[in-house]
Coordinates of all heavy atoms in Angstrom, one line a residue:
M175 N 4.4 5.4 8.8 CA 5.2 6.3 9.5 C 4.6 7.7 9.6 O 5.1 8.5 10.3 CB 6.6 6.4 8.9 CG 7.3 5.1 8.8 SD 9.0 5.2 8.3 CE 9.7 5.5 9.9
T176 N 3.5 7.9 8.9 CA 2.9 9.2 8.9 C 1.6 9.2 9.8 O 1.0 10.2 10.0 CB 2.5 9.7 7.5 OG1 1.5 8.8 7.0 CG2 3.7 9.8 6.6
L177 N 1.2 8.0 10.2 CA -0.1 7.9 10.9 C 0.0 7.8 12.4 O 1.0 7.3 12.9 CB -0.9 6.7 10.4 CG -1.0 6.5 8.9 CD1 -1.7 5.2 8.5 CD2 -1.8 7.7 8.3
G178 N -0.9 8.4 13.1 CA -0.9 8.4 14.5 C -1.2 7.0 15.2 O -0.7 6.7 16.2
E179 N -2.0 6.3 14.4 CA -2.5 5.0 15.0 C -2.7 4.0 13.8 O -3.2 4.5 12.8 CB -3.8 5.2 15.8 CG -4.3 4.0 16.5 CD -5.6 4.3 17.2 OE1 -5.8 5.5 17.5 OE2 -6.3 3.4 17.5
R180 N -2.4 2.8 14.0 CA -2.6 1.8 12.9 C -4.1 1.4 12.8 O -4.8 1.4 13.9 CB -1.8 0.5 13.1 CG -0.3 0.7 13.0 CD 0.2 1.0 11.6 NE -0.4 0.2 10.6 CZ 0.1 -1.0 10.1 NH1 1.2 -1.4 10.5 NH2 -0.6 -1.6 9.2
S181 N -4.5 1.0 11.7 CA -5.9 0.5 11.4 C -7.0 1.4 11.8 O -8.1 1.0 12.2 CB -6.1 -0.9 12.1 OG -5.1 -1.8 11.7
S182 N -6.8 2.7 11.8 CA -7.8 3.7 12.2 C -8.4 4.4 11.0 O -9.0 5.4 11.2 CB -7.2 4.6 13.3 OG -6.2 5.4 12.7
F183 N -8.2 3.9 9.8 CA -8.7 4.5 8.6 C -8.2 5.9 8.4 O -8.9 6.7 7.7 CB -10.2 4.4 8.6 CG -10.7 3.0 8.5 CD1 -10.9 2.2 9.7 CD2 -10.8 2.3 7.3 CE1 -11.3 0.9 9.6 CE2 -11.2 1.0 7.2 CZ -11.5 0.3 8.4
E184 N -7.0 6.2 8.9 CA -6.4 7.5 8.5 C -5.8 7.4 7.1 O -5.5 6.3 6.7 CB -5.2 7.8 9.5 CG -5.6 8.3 10.8 CD -4.4 8.6 11.7 OE1 -3.8 9.7 11.4 OE2 -4.1 7.9 12.6
I185 N -5.7 8.5 6.4 CA -5.1 8.5 5.1 C -3.7 9.1 5.2 O -3.5 10.2 5.7 CB -6.0 9.4 4.1 CG1 -7.3 8.7 4.0 CG2 -5.3 9.5 2.8 CD1 -8.3 9.6 3.2
C186 N -2.8 8.4 4.6 CA -1.4 8.8 4.6 C -1.2 10.0 3.7 O -1.6 9.9 2.5 CB -0.5 7.6 4.1 SG 1.2 8.1 3.9
P187 N -0.6 11.1 4.2 CA -0.5 12.3 3.3 C 0.7 12.1 2.3 O 0.8 12.9 1.4 CB -0.1 13.4 4.3 CG 0.5 12.7 5.5 CD -0.2 11.3 5.6
V188 N 1.5 11.1 2.4 CA 2.6 10.8 1.5 C 2.2 10.0 0.3 O 2.6 10.2 -0.8 CB 3.8 10.2 2.3 CG1 4.9 9.8 1.3 CG2 4.3 11.2 3.3
C189 N 1.3 9.0 0.6 CA 1.0 8.1 -0.5 C -0.6 8.0 -0.8 O -1.0 7.5 -1.8 CB 1.5 6.7 -0.3 SG 0.6 5.8 1.1
F190 N -1.3 8.5 0.1 CA -2.8 8.6 0.1 C -3.5 7.2 0.2 O -4.6 7.1 -0.1 CB -3.3 9.3 -1.2 CG -4.5 10.2 -0.9 CD1 -4.4 11.3 -0.2 CD2 -5.7 9.8 -1.4 CE1 -5.5 12.1 0.1 CE2 -6.9 10.6 -1.1 CZ -6.8 11.7 -0.4
W191 N -2.8 6.3 0.8 CA -3.4 5.0 1.1 C -4.2 5.2 2.4 O -3.7 5.8 3.4 CB -2.4 3.9 1.3 CG -2.9 2.6 1.8 CD1 -2.9 2.1 3.1 CD2 -3.4 1.5 1.0 NE1 -3.4 0.9 3.1 CE2 -3.7 0.5 1.8 CE3 -3.6 1.4 -0.4 CZ2 -4.3 -0.7 1.4 CZ3 -4.1 0.2 -0.9 CH2 -4.5 -0.8 0.0
E192 N -5.4 4.6 2.5 CA -6.2 4.7 3.7 C -5.9 3.4 4.5 O -6.2 2.3 4.0 CB -7.7 4.8 3.4 CG -8.5 5.0 4.7 CD -9.9 5.5 4.4 OE1 -10.2 6.0 3.3 OE2 -10.8 5.4 5.3
D193 N -5.5 3.5 5.7 CA -5.0 2.4 6.5 C -6.3 1.7 7.1 O -6.8 2.0 8.1 CB -4.1 2.9 7.7 CG -3.6 1.7 8.5 OD1 -3.7 0.6 8.0 OD2 -3.0 2.0 9.5
D194 N -6.6 0.6 6.4 CA -7.7 -0.2 6.8 C -7.3 -1.5 7.5 O -8.1 -2.4 7.7 CB -8.6 -0.6 5.6 CG -7.8 -1.4 4.6 OD1 -6.6 -1.6 4.7 OD2 -8.5 -1.9 3.6
G195 N -6.1 -1.5 7.9 CA -5.5 -2.7 8.7 C -4.8 -3.7 7.8 O -4.2 -4.6 8.4
Q196 N -4.8 -3.6 6.5 CA -4.1 -4.5 5.7 C -2.6 -4.4 6.0 O -2.1 -3.3 6.2 CB -4.4 -4.2 4.2 CG -3.9 -5.3 3.3 CD -4.5 -5.2 1.9 OE1 -5.0 -4.2 1.5 NE2 -4.4 -6.3 1.2
D197 N -1.9 -5.5 5.9 CA -0.5 -5.5 6.2 C 0.2 -6.5 5.4 O -0.4 -7.1 4.5 CB -0.3 -5.7 7.7 CG 1.0 -5.0 8.3 OD1 1.9 -4.7 7.5 OD2 1.0 -4.8 9.5
D198 N 1.5 -6.7 5.7 CA 2.3 -7.6 4.8 C 1.7 -9.0 4.7 O 1.9 -9.6 3.6 CB 3.7 -7.7 5.4 CG 4.5 -6.4 5.3 OD1 4.2 -5.6 4.4 OD2 5.4 -6.2 6.1
H199 N 1.1 -9.5 5.7 CA 0.6 -10.9 5.6 C -0.5 -11.1 4.5 O -0.7 -12.2 4.1 CB 0.1 -11.4 7.0 CG -1.2 -10.7 7.4 ND1 -1.2 -9.5 8.0 CD2 -2.5 -11.1 7.3 CE1 -2.4 -9.1 8.3 NE2 -3.2 -10.1 7.9
D200 N -1.2 -10.0 4.2 CA -2.2 -10.1 3.1 C -2.1 -9.0 2.1 O -3.1 -8.6 1.5 CB -3.6 -10.2 3.7 CG -4.0 -8.9 4.4 OD1 -3.2 -8.1 4.7 OD2 -5.2 -8.8 4.7
A201 N -0.9 -8.6 1.9 CA -0.7 -7.4 1.0 C -1.1 -7.6 -0.4 O -1.5 -6.7 -1.1 CB 0.8 -7.0 1.0
D202 N -1.1 -8.9 -0.9 CA -1.5 -9.1 -2.3 C -3.1 -9.3 -2.4 O -3.6 -9.3 -3.6 CB -0.9 -10.4 -2.8 CG 0.6 -10.2 -3.0 OD1 1.0 -9.2 -3.5 OD2 1.4 -11.1 -2.6
R203 N -3.8 -9.3 -1.4 CA -5.2 -9.5 -1.4 C -5.9 -8.1 -1.7 O -5.6 -7.1 -1.0 CB -5.7 -10.1 -0.1 CG -7.1 -10.4 0.0 CD -7.4 -11.2 1.3 NE -8.9 -11.1 1.5 CZ -9.4 -10.8 2.6 NH1 -8.7 -10.6 3.7 NH2 -10.7 -10.8 2.7
V204 N -6.9 -8.1 -2.6 CA -7.7 -6.9 -2.8 C -8.9 -7.1 -1.8 O -9.7 -8.0 -1.9 CB -8.2 -6.8 -4.2 CG1 -9.2 -5.7 -4.4 CG2 -7.0 -6.7 -5.2
R205 N -9.0 -6.2 -0.9 CA -10.0 -6.2 0.2 C -11.2 -5.4 -0.1 O -12.2 -5.4 0.7 CB -9.4 -5.9 1.5 CG -8.3 -6.9 2.0 CD -7.6 -6.4 3.2 NE -8.4 -6.2 4.3 CZ -8.0 -6.0 5.5 NH1 -6.7 -5.9 5.8 NH2 -8.8 -5.8 6.5
G206 N -11.1 -4.5 -1.1 CA -12.2 -3.6 -1.3 C -12.2 -2.5 -0.3 O -11.1 -2.0 0.1
G207 N -13.3 -2.1 0.2 CA -13.4 -1.1 1.2 C -12.8 0.3 0.7 O -13.0 0.6 -0.4
P208 N -12.2 1.0 1.6 CA -11.8 2.4 1.3 C -10.7 2.5 0.1 O -10.6 3.5 -0.5 CB -11.2 2.9 2.6 CG -10.8 1.8 3.3 CD -11.8 0.7 3.0
N209 N -10.0 1.4 -0.1 CA -9.0 1.4 -1.1 C -9.4 0.8 -2.4 O -8.6 0.6 -3.3 CB -7.7 0.8 -0.6 CG -7.2 1.6 0.6 OD1 -6.9 2.8 0.5 ND2 -7.1 0.9 1.7
G210 N -10.7 0.5 -2.5 CA -11.3 0.0 -3.8 C -10.7 -1.3 -4.3 O -10.6 -2.2 -3.5
R211 N -10.2 -1.2 -5.5 CA -9.7 -2.4 -6.2 C -8.2 -2.6 -6.1 O -7.6 -3.3 -6.8 CB -10.1 -2.5 -7.6 CG -11.6 -2.6 -7.8 CD -12.0 -2.7 -9.2 NE -11.6 -1.4 -9.9 CZ -12.3 -0.9 -10.9 NH1 -13.3 -1.5 -11.4 NH2 -11.9 0.2 -11.5
L212 N -7.6 -1.8 -5.1 CA -6.1 -1.9 -4.9 C -5.8 -2.8 -3.8 O -6.3 -2.8 -2.7 CB -5.6 -0.5 -4.6 CG -5.3 0.5 -5.6 CD1 -4.9 1.8 -5.0 CD2 -4.3 0.0 -6.6
S213 N -4.8 -3.6 -4.1 CA -4.2 -4.4 -2.9 C -3.0 -3.5 -2.4 O -2.6 -2.5 -3.1 CB -3.5 -5.7 -3.4 OG -2.4 -5.4 -4.3
L214 N -2.6 -3.8 -1.2 CA -1.5 -3.0 -0.6 C -0.2 -3.2 -1.4 O 0.5 -2.2 -1.7 CB -1.3 -3.4 0.8 CG -0.2 -2.8 1.6 CD1 -0.3 -1.3 1.6 CD2 -0.1 -3.3 3.0
A215 N 0.0 -4.4 -1.9 CA 1.2 -4.6 -2.8 C 1.1 -3.8 -4.0 O 2.1 -3.2 -4.4 CB 1.3 -6.1 -3.1
E216 N 0.0 -3.7 -4.7 CA -0.1 -2.8 -5.9 C 0.0 -1.4 -5.5 O 0.7 -0.6 -6.3 CB -1.5 -3.1 -6.6 CG -1.6 -2.3 -7.9 CD -2.9 -2.6 -8.6 OE1 -3.8 -3.3 -8.1 OE2 -3.1 -2.1 -9.7
A217 N -0.5 -0.9 -4.4 CA -0.4 0.5 -4.0 C 1.1 0.8 -3.7 O 1.5 1.9 -4.1 CB -1.2 0.7 -2.7
R218 N 1.8 -0.1 -3.2 CA 3.2 0.1 -2.9 C 4.0 0.2 -4.3 O 4.9 1.1 -4.4 CB 3.8 -1.1 -2.1 CG 3.4 -1.0 -0.7 CD 3.8 -2.2 0.1 NE 3.5 -2.1 1.5 CZ 3.6 -3.2 2.4 NH1 3.9 -4.4 1.9 NH2 3.3 -3.0 3.6
R219 N 3.7 -0.7 -5.2 CA 4.3 -0.6 -6.5 C 4.0 0.8 -7.2 O 4.9 1.4 -7.8 CB 3.9 -1.7 -7.4 CG 4.5 -3.1 -7.0 CD 4.2 -4.1 -8.1 NE 2.8 -4.5 -8.2 CZ 2.2 -5.4 -7.5 NH1 2.8 -6.1 -6.6 NH2 0.9 -5.6 -7.7
N220 N 2.7 1.2 -7.1 CA 2.3 2.5 -7.7 C 3.1 3.6 -7.0 O 3.5 4.5 -7.7 CB 0.8 2.7 -7.5 CG 0.0 1.8 -8.4 OD1 0.5 1.2 -9.4 ND2 -1.3 1.7 -8.1
F221 N 3.2 3.5 -5.7 CA 4.0 4.6 -5.0 C 5.4 4.7 -5.5 O 5.9 5.8 -5.7 CB 3.9 4.4 -3.5 CG 4.7 5.4 -2.7 CD1 4.2 6.7 -2.6 CD2 6.0 5.1 -2.2 CE1 4.9 7.7 -1.9 CE2 6.7 6.1 -1.5 CZ 6.2 7.4 -1.4
H222 N 6.1 3.6 -5.7 CA 7.4 3.6 -6.2 C 7.5 4.2 -7.6 O 8.5 4.8 -8.0 CB 8.1 2.3 -6.1 CG 8.4 1.9 -4.6 ND1 9.4 2.5 -3.9 CD2 7.9 1.0 -3.8 CE1 9.4 2.0 -2.7 NE2 8.5 1.1 -2.6
A223 N 6.5 3.9 -8.4 CA 6.5 4.3 -9.8 C 6.0 5.8 -10.0 O 6.5 6.5 -10.8 CB 5.6 3.4 -10.6
M224 N 5.0 6.2 -9.2 CA 4.4 7.5 -9.4 C 4.2 8.4 -8.2 O 3.7 9.5 -8.3 CB 3.1 7.3 -10.1 CG 2.0 6.7 -9.3 SD 0.5 6.4 -10.2 CE 0.9 4.9 -11.0
G225 N 4.7 7.9 -7.0 CA 4.6 8.8 -5.9 C 3.3 8.8 -5.1 O 3.1 9.7 -4.2
A226 N 2.4 7.9 -5.5 CA 1.1 7.9 -4.8 C 0.5 6.4 -4.9 O 1.0 5.7 -5.8 CB 0.1 8.8 -5.4
C227 N -0.4 6.0 -4.1 CA -0.9 4.7 -4.1 C -1.7 4.4 -5.4 O -1.8 3.3 -5.8 CB -1.8 4.4 -2.9 SG -3.3 5.3 -2.9
D228 N -2.2 5.4 -6.1 CA -2.9 5.3 -7.3 C -2.8 6.6 -8.1 O -2.6 7.7 -7.5 CB -4.4 5.1 -6.9 CG -5.3 4.8 -8.1 OD1 -5.5 3.7 -8.5 OD2 -5.8 5.8 -8.7
E229 N -2.8 6.5 -9.4 CA -2.6 7.6 -10.3 C -3.6 8.8 -10.0 O -3.2 9.9 -10.0 CB -2.7 7.2 -11.7 CG -2.4 8.3 -12.7 CD -2.4 7.9 -14.1 OE1 -2.9 6.7 -14.4 OE2 -2.0 8.7 -15.0
R230 N -4.8 8.4 -9.6 CA -5.8 9.5 -9.3 C -5.5 10.3 -8.1 O -6.0 11.3 -7.8 CB -7.2 8.8 -9.2 CG -7.7 8.2 -10.4 CD -8.9 7.3 -10.2 NE -8.5 6.2 -9.3 CZ -9.3 5.4 -8.8 NH1 -10.5 5.4 -9.0 NH2 -8.8 4.4 -8.0
C231 N -4.6 9.7 -7.2 CA -4.3 10.4 -5.9 C -3.0 11.2 -5.9 O -2.7 11.9 -4.9 CB -4.1 9.3 -4.9 SG -5.6 8.3 -4.6
T232 N -2.3 11.3 -7.1 CA -1.1 12.1 -7.1 C -1.3 13.5 -6.7 O -0.4 14.1 -6.1 CB -0.4 12.0 -8.5 OG1 -1.3 12.5 -9.5 CG2 0.0 10.6 -8.8
Q233 N -2.4 14.1 -7.0 CA -2.6 15.5 -6.6 C -2.8 15.8 -5.1 O -2.7 16.9 -4.7 CB -3.9 16.0 -7.4 CG -5.2 15.3 -7.0 CD -6.3 15.8 -7.8 OE1 -6.5 17.0 -8.1 NE2 -7.2 14.8 -8.1
F234 N -3.0 14.7 -4.4 CA -3.3 14.9 -2.9 C -2.1 14.6 -2.0 O -2.2 14.8 -0.8 CB -4.4 14.0 -2.5 CG -5.7 14.2 -3.3 CD1 -6.1 13.2 -4.1 CD2 -6.4 15.4 -3.2 CE1 -7.3 13.4 -4.9 CE2 -7.5 15.6 -3.9 CZ -8.0 14.6 -4.8
V235 N -1.0 14.1 -2.6 CA 0.2 13.7 -1.8 C 1.2 14.8 -1.6 O 1.2 15.8 -2.3 CB 0.8 12.4 -2.4 CG1 -0.1 11.3 -2.4 CG2 1.4 12.7 -3.7
R236 N 2.1 14.6 -0.6 CA 3.2 15.5 -0.4 C 4.4 14.6 -0.2 O 4.4 13.4 0.0 CB 3.0 16.3 0.9 CG 2.9 15.5 2.2 CD 3.1 16.4 3.4 NE 2.8 15.7 4.6 CZ 3.7 14.8 5.2 NH1 4.8 14.5 4.7 NH2 3.4 14.3 6.4
A237 N 5.6 15.2 -0.3 CA 6.8 14.5 -0.1 C 7.0 14.1 1.4 O 6.5 14.8 2.3 CB 8.0 15.4 -0.5
P238 N 7.6 13.0 1.6 CA 7.8 12.6 3.0 C 8.8 13.5 3.7 O 9.7 14.0 3.1 CB 8.4 11.1 2.9 CG 8.9 11.0 1.5 CD 8.2 12.0 0.7
L239 N 8.6 13.7 5.0 CA 9.5 14.4 5.9 C 10.7 13.5 6.2 O 10.6 12.3 6.1 CB 8.7 14.9 7.1 CG 7.5 15.7 6.9 CD1 6.8 16.0 8.3 CD2 7.8 17.0 6.2
P240 N 11.8 14.1 6.6 CA 13.0 13.3 6.9 C 12.7 12.2 7.9 O 13.2 11.1 7.8 CB 14.0 14.3 7.5 CG 13.6 15.6 6.9 CD 12.1 15.5 6.8
N241 N 11.8 12.4 8.9 CA 11.6 11.3 9.9 C 10.5 10.3 9.4 O 10.2 9.4 10.1 CB 11.1 11.9 11.2 CG 9.8 12.7 11.1 OD1 9.5 13.2 10.0 ND2 9.1 12.7 12.2
E242 N 10.1 10.4 8.2 CA 9.1 9.5 7.6 C 9.6 8.5 6.7 O 8.9 7.8 6.0 CB 7.9 10.3 7.0 CG 7.1 11.1 7.9 CD 6.2 12.1 7.3 OE1 6.3 12.4 6.1 OE2 5.3 12.5 8.0
H243 N 10.9 8.4 6.6 CA 11.6 7.4 5.7 C 11.9 6.2 6.6 O 12.4 6.3 7.7 CB 12.9 8.0 5.2 CG 12.7 9.0 4.1 ND1 12.6 8.7 2.8 CD2 12.7 10.4 4.2 CE1 12.4 9.8 2.1 NE2 12.5 10.9 2.9
P244 N 11.5 5.0 6.1 CA 11.8 3.8 6.9 C 13.3 3.6 6.9 O 14.0 3.9 6.0 CB 11.1 2.7 6.1 CG 10.9 3.3 4.7 CD 10.8 4.8 4.8
T245 N 13.8 3.1 8.0 CA 15.2 2.7 8.2 C 15.4 1.3 7.7 O 14.6 0.5 7.9 CB 15.6 2.9 9.6 OG1 14.8 2.0 10.4 CG2 15.6 4.3 10.1
V246 N 16.4 1.1 7.0 CA 16.7 -0.2 6.4 C 17.8 -0.9 7.2 O 18.6 -0.3 7.8 CB 17.2 -0.1 4.9 CG1 17.5 -1.4 4.3 CG2 16.1 0.7 4.1

């Protein structure tokens, strides 16, 4: 919700995940690349636990804006 375009290797300012095109269908797979040894599923768990995709990235994130919250 923070990125201008999907799969364009932008970094989310809210969680610091780099969008390499990984999505729900392969979220448990570790693909390497810009996100290293993190799967998307693990990054999501980390975000819920510590506010960033990885503990090392907490210093780079910001709180989501009101329009950046997913609707349920």
Side-chain angles (χ1 to χ4, degrees):
M175 301 188 88
T176 63
L177 307 177
E179 185 179 340
R180 293 292 316 266
S181 303
S182 63
F183 295 91
E184 286 184 71
I185 297 175
C186 174
V188 173
C189 70
F190 217 70
W191 175 263
E192 187 166 342
D193 185 10
D194 62 352
Q196 191 167 19
D197 211 338
D198 291 336
H199 70 279
D200 66 346
D202 290 319
R203 186 173 161 225
V204 175
R205 295 173 60 174
N209 297 301
R211 295 183 297 210
L212 280 176
S213 69
L214 179 57
E216 184 177 5
R218 287 173 174 168
R219 287 190 296 272
N220 288 344
F221 178 73
H222 288 289
M224 66 185 82
C227 67
D228 185 89
E229 186 176 7
R230 296 169 295 175
C231 299
T232 56
Q233 63 184 320
F234 304 113
V235 298
R236 64 163 172 78
L239 302 175
N241 64 329
E242 294 171 341
H243 287 275
T245 55
V246 179

